[in-house]
Amino acid sequence: MDMTTDLTTHTSPNAASRVEIPGFRGELIEPGDAGYDAARAVYNGAIDRYPRLVARCVDAADVMAAVRAARAADLTIAVRGGGHNAGGLGVWDDALVVDLTPMRSVHVDPAERLVRVDGGAVWGDVDHATHPFGLAVPSGFISSTGVGGLTLGGGIGYLSRQFGLTIDSLLAVDVVLSDGTLVTADADRRPDLFWAVRGGGGNFGVVTSFTFGAHPVRTVAAGPMFFDAARGAEVLRAWDELLDSASESLNGWFGFLSVPAVDDFPADLRGRTVAAIMWCHNGPLAEARQLLAPLRDLDPLLDGVGEVPWPALQSIFDPLFPAGLQWYWRTDFVDELTDEAIAVHLEHGTELPSPQSTMHLYPVSGAAGRVPAGATAYAHRQAKYAQVIVGVDPDPAKLASVASWARDYHDALHPHSVGGGYVNMMMDDEGLDRVRASYRDNFARLVEVKRRYDPDNTFHINQNIPPDAIS
Ligand SMILES: Cc1cc2nc3c(=O)[nH]c(=O)nc-3n(C[C@H](O)[C@H](O)[C@H](O)COP(=O)(O)OP(=O)(O)OC[C@H]3O[C@@H](n4cnc5c(N)ncnc54)[C@H](O)[C@@H]3O)c2cc1C
């Protein structure tokens, strides 16, 4: 692509007015620089934004300098962790991007089971560092997602039922505030800020370091079970019922998906739309087999549950969802799988518009659901499931059709949800009412904390909690 044409046809990046960041050690990338297109690209290939400057920070001092420089130049700040956000909130037109991607180191203290993670690490970095010690931090379902964004929004994953959301294992954060100073927040120091970052997203500052408590996880019993999609109602009910009573060491998300066309699956299943459950039991395979008996009795097309080292489970989906695909997301929280909701799932979930488009239901039960709703900013503890519908395709020309499928499916299901959505899976244009509904009774307290720590709304490229949202 011709860079000159690109710049003149898009918004207003202005290479002439260079932004200086005194004392900055990392790389600074501006329009016209060789690495500019790579630096502005995020995981969702449908996002095409042109920042004024990408400041690749190597340490907290760089982050402090970048925030100060952006404020002095009156520039919008976007903060980039792993770059996975649904709405591409890690990059913004005309903004100074505080890019944390060089800050990926992880330090493990196995004796204390403490893990300290730099703000730009991805979960694969954490799994790599903790696995030799037989430890893991609860994360998500894919290893390329950023620790920063996933944690700040809550963090739903395979270990949620046993050890809670990612934020329930978070012990401390170092945060660069809007005035460029760095503070530590934990249960004793700035507890208001510590409460708010556990679910409130990047609204309060740039987190340069996360300290987590880790848990014993080494090899798990995990893998997919596939059923004929037409049996989706029966499978959904059996899965829901099993998780209501099963040990919390067992987790599994439900999805309608196309069986990937890869050698790992039998040839007759490849490309077929199925009702799938991706299981993970943090325990022996024999125990998993017993726990899964009610679903095994339903005679799945494939039972692929086996022993898997934790990092391998976390990265199973990485090659199926490489960076750069076109994504369109819709999310809700769900309390109950009613007959009406299941009928909608059957109607839309069995009609996937592309091989990578899918619907997932992620359990937020067990340990994750027991935490009181007001204990952290993440408010929907009562919701049994976070539901996400994603239209995905490599071809930009197909984005409109996969998005329209996701929108129609979501519109039909939304009346059966509890309002609000998982902020990490919301797009960039969903509006304040959705954000308010996502934080429910915690919203007013979040606004108070926002006023205290970011009264000018310096950090607003996120699911924003405006300081003036409540008069
Ligand atoms: C393929 C895929 C799978 C996913 N699976 C899961 C899953 O299993 N469980 C789950 O809970 N979520 C999942 N998500 C959603 C994910 O949590 C969000 O996309 C999250 O925003 C990604 O964080 P990031 O750091 O990679 O993104 P970015 O786009 O870099 O950042 C997202 C937001 O967080 C802010 N941010 C990031 N890092 C920091 C920081 N250090 N300090 C302050 N603000 C920061 C950014 O400013 C932005 O507003 C998935 C997303 C994708 C694309």
Side-chain angles (χ1 to χ4, degrees), residues 43 79 81-85 100 140-142 146 149-150 156 205 207 422 424 461:
Y43 180 81
V79 181
H84 257 228
N85 188 260
L100 304 175
F141 303 98
I142 195 159
L150 181 138
I156 301 168
V207 177
Y422 178 36
N424 274 352
I461 306 302

Side-chain angles (χ1 to χ4, degrees), residues 135-457:
L135 296 171
V137 176
S139 52
F141 303 98
I142 195 159
S143 83
S144 54
T145 309
V147 173
L150 181 138
T151 303
L152 294 169
I156 301 168
Y158 288 115
L159 301 175
S160 299
R161 280 171 44 82
Q162 188 173 17
F163 301 122
L165 300 178
T166 304
I167 48 172
D168 300 326
S169 293
L170 183 64
L171 300 174
V173 282
D174 287 348
V175 191
V176 174
L177 301 175
S178 58
D179 62 358
T181 58
L182 183 142
V183 299
T184 297
D186 58 21
D188 301 319
R189 290 168 288 181
R190 300 178 189 261
D192 53 347
L193 180 59
F194 186 52
W195 175 85
V197 298
R198 284 177 290 161
N203 269 285
F204 306 94
V206 187
V207 177
T208 55
S209 170
F210 296 85
T211 303
F212 296 100
H215 307 273
V217 181
R218 196 180 284 276
T219 295
V220 292
M225 247 185 216
F226 295 151
F227 298 85
D228 192 307
R231 295 178 68 197
E234 181 190 3
V235 177
L236 264 169
R237 287 193 187 97
W239 164 76
D240 182 42
E241 210 171 286
L242 176 63
L243 287 184
D244 273 348
S245 57
S247 157
E248 291 176 358
S249 53
L250 179 72
N251 200 357
W253 54 260
F254 176 94
F256 283 108
L257 51 86
S258 300
V259 176
V262 294
D263 291 347
D264 298 341
F265 298 112
D268 61 324
L269 287 184
R270 289 176 214 158
R272 179 163 164 183
T273 298
V274 291
I277 305 170
M278 185 68 195
W279 295 108
C280 172
H281 170 59
N282 185 21
L285 182 57
E287 208 171 81
R289 291 228 159 95
Q290 277 177 354
L291 288 166
L292 295 176
L295 271 293
R296 287 154 58 83
D297 288 349
L298 293 184
D299 199 16
L301 298 168
L302 176 118
D303 175 357
V305 177
E307 286 185 344
V308 191
W310 173 251
L313 172 64
Q314 286 285 93
S315 50
I316 274 177
F317 289 97
D318 294 2
L320 300 174
F321 293 102
L325 303 175
Q326 309 282 308
W327 289 73
Y328 184 85
W329 296 67
R330 277 290 174 249
T331 178
D332 274 322
F333 282 115
V334 179
D335 265 351
E336 204 189 340
L337 292 173
T338 60
D339 291 346
E340 294 79 7
I342 288 175
V344 175
H345 279 300
L346 262 284
E347 186 189 338
H348 296 261
T350 55
E351 297 292 331
L352 304 175
S354 69
Q356 283 147 315
S357 296
T358 185
M359 186 290 300
H360 294 174
L361 281 161
Y362 302 122
V364 190
S365 50
R370 272 198 303 280
V371 175
T376 64
Y378 179 100
H380 277 273
R381 297 282 184 169
Q382 90 303 336
K384 256 170 112 175
Y385 301 112
Q387 168 192 287
V388 65
I389 301 163
V390 282
V392 189
D393 199 276
D395 182 357
K398 303 257 180 66
L399 180 62
S401 66
V402 298
S404 139
W405 168 82
R407 257 194 308 270
D408 290 349
Y409 192 167
H410 176 262
D411 288 350
L413 263 184
H414 185 66
H416 307 286
S417 73
V418 294
Y422 178 36
V423 290
N424 274 352
M425 296 184 175
M426 279 160 51
M427 295 293 280
D428 54 318
D429 58 354
E430 299 201 23
L432 183 57
D433 285 347
R434 276 283 275 175
V435 175
R436 200 188 289 266
S438 302
Y439 290 115
R440 308 178 95 205
D441 296 345
N442 289 342
F443 186 74
R445 188 169 164 197
L446 279 163
V447 171
E448 262 175 49
V449 182
K450 180 78 174 175
R451 282 180 187 155
R452 210 167 300 143
Y453 288 95
D454 185 19
D456 301 328
N457 209 2

Side-chain angles (χ1 to χ4, degrees), residues 100-106 117-122 124-125:
L100 304 175
T101 49
M103 295 173 59
R104 287 173 61 166
S105 77
V106 180
V117 185
D118 276 1
V122 300
D125 301 327

